[in-house]
Structure formats: structure tokens, C-alpha cells
Amino acid sequence: LALYFHSGEREEKCIIEDIPSDTLVIGSYKVQRWDIHKQDFLESAPGLGMFVTVTTPSAEVLLSKLYGPQGTFSFTSYLSGEHVICLQSNSTRFVAFAGSKLRIHLDIRVGEHFFDESVVQAKDNVNEVTFRLEHLIEQIHHISKEQNYEREREEKFRKTSEETNTNILWWAIVQTIILIFIGTWQIKSLRDFFISKKLV
């Protein structure tokens, strides 16, 4: 996931990422500040820091840390589900002046390990093949984990659908019984009325 978004200073922006359990997540970001004179975003925002907060599906804070104007954060999920990743600048200016616009570039990799190409080049061919093979095995484990997670979600959805269908069926049966009961009661009431008025 790679994107950028605009934010005001001290404004918190969050994204939701659906992550399987026991999965490494690596995020990197860069902050640019709007320059009024140049009418453009500056390449960097020196002196500006970012609070990064990660919350689990059970609302537990997994990561809460202050970083610089650009940085990399990582965490490992222990629960599967929707994790909330929030970024907020730490502008120390007075609120009245804290209206500067920021552009935040965010890149999130789920289940991936970034390997350093310089390290790969420094090794001989055999070690490079071994290193890349280990990376591929990690990727296979991650894909397998994602597939298992999707299977669990599909099974949960199927159970919910079956329970809903069963409830609808029972409700239809109850409605039919109630209608039959009301119809029988109305017929009996009309019959008794006609008999009492000696119309039948």
C-alpha cells in the first residue's frame, strides 16, 4: 500500500489495514510542508516530528512512538483483523498559527522483509541465491498465512449467512402460523356474529 494524503498540523489521520495474525508490517513515511511563498510542498519538513500509533482490533495500543519528519516503523500483529494506523504531527506552534498544510507520503508493506541490495551485492553468487531463496520462502509463508486468514473469514461469513437464513426461515414459519391463527379467529368471530344476529 503506497499513498499520500494531506493533513493539517496536529491533525490525526488514520488508515485501517486488515492484517492476519503473527505478521510483520513495515511502514515508511515522509512529511512535506506547504510553502506559501513557493506555492508548493517543500521536499522535507525539518524540525517536524510524527507520532505513529497502531491499535489492534481489540483496541489495544500496539505501537505509540514519536519519529522525525521521515522514518520507518514496524510491528508484528498477534491478532488477525483490522488494525488502525494513525499519524499525527507534533507541531509545537500555537494553535492559532498551526494551520500549515502537510503532505504525508506513506508506504506500508504487510508480511514483507526489505532486503538491502548492497548486502546482496557484497555476497558471492551462492550466498545471494541463498539469501533470495530465504526471502522467497518467507513470502510463501506469508501468502499461506494470508490464504488461511481469508479461509477463516470466509468460513465465518458462511456461518453468519447460514444463521441469518435459518432465522429468516423460522420467522417466515412463525408469521404463517400467526396469519393462520388470526384468519381462523376472524372466521370464527364472523360466524358467531352472524349466528347471534340470526343471519345464518
Side-chain angles (χ1 to χ4, degrees):
L1 173 68
L3 54 89
Y4 76 84
F5 52 88
H6 293 147
S7 171
E9 291 192 31
R10 299 200 68 80
E11 180 185 359
E12 187 177 55
K13 292 282 188 173
C14 299
I15 64 164
I16 297 172
E17 192 72 27
D18 203 352
I19 304 168
S21 61
D22 194 29
T23 301
L24 175 66
V25 178
I26 300 174
S28 56
Y29 70 89
K30 182 177 78 170
V31 183
Q32 295 175 308
R33 193 197 296 265
W34 176 257
D35 188 289
I36 299 173
H37 306 295
K38 293 183 178 178
Q39 290 293 301
D40 196 8
F41 287 96
L42 298 176
E43 259 318 295
S44 63
L48 193 67
M50 292 296 287
F51 285 108
V52 178
T53 308
V54 178
T55 310
T56 65
S58 62
E60 182 183 342
V61 177
L62 193 62
L63 172 70
S64 181
K65 192 173 177 182
L66 175 63
Y67 295 87
Q70 68 180 58
T72 301
F73 60 90
S74 64
F75 63 91
T76 302
S77 62
Y78 65 91
L79 283 176
S80 58
E82 294 181 342
H83 288 66
V84 182
I85 302 169
C86 297
L87 291 94
Q88 181 183 24
S89 68
N90 72 331
S91 171
T92 54
R93 300 194 297 171
F94 295 107
V95 176
F97 300 103
S100 183
K101 191 162 57 172
L102 303 174
R103 178 183 283 174
I104 302 168
H105 298 263
L106 181 63
D107 185 17
I108 294 177
R109 305 287 177 94
V110 179
E112 286 192 17
H113 295 276
F114 298 135
F115 52 83
D116 189 350
E117 289 292 340
S118 62
V119 173
V120 174
Q121 290 170 3
K123 296 174 179 287
D124 60 17
N125 288 340
V126 175
N127 286 341
E128 182 180 344
V129 170
T130 305
F131 184 78
R132 290 187 184 276
L133 187 61
E134 286 173 1
H135 181 73
L136 285 173
I137 290 169
E138 283 180 2
Q139 291 291 80
I140 290 167
H141 285 313
H142 171 66
I143 291 167
S144 174
K145 198 181 298 178
E146 287 238 340
Q147 286 177 335
N148 290 334
Y149 177 56
E150 291 300 324
R151 268 196 291 271
E152 286 172 14
R153 289 185 63 191
E154 185 184 347
E155 188 178 342
K156 188 178 177 182
F157 179 75
R158 190 173 61 250
K159 283 181 181 176
T160 305
S161 299
E162 287 172 359
E163 287 172 7
T164 304
N165 289 338
T166 304
N167 291 338
I168 290 170
L169 177 64
W170 279 111
W171 176 241
I173 291 169
V174 169
Q175 278 184 318
T176 305
I177 292 169
I178 290 170
L179 287 171
I180 291 170
F181 175 76
I182 291 172
T184 307
W185 177 77
Q186 284 180 331
I187 291 169
K188 186 179 181 304
S189 298
L190 281 171
R191 188 167 166 267
D192 291 344
F193 173 77
F194 289 144
I195 290 172
S196 67
K197 295 293 181 181
K198 298 183 178 177
L199 297 172
V200 175

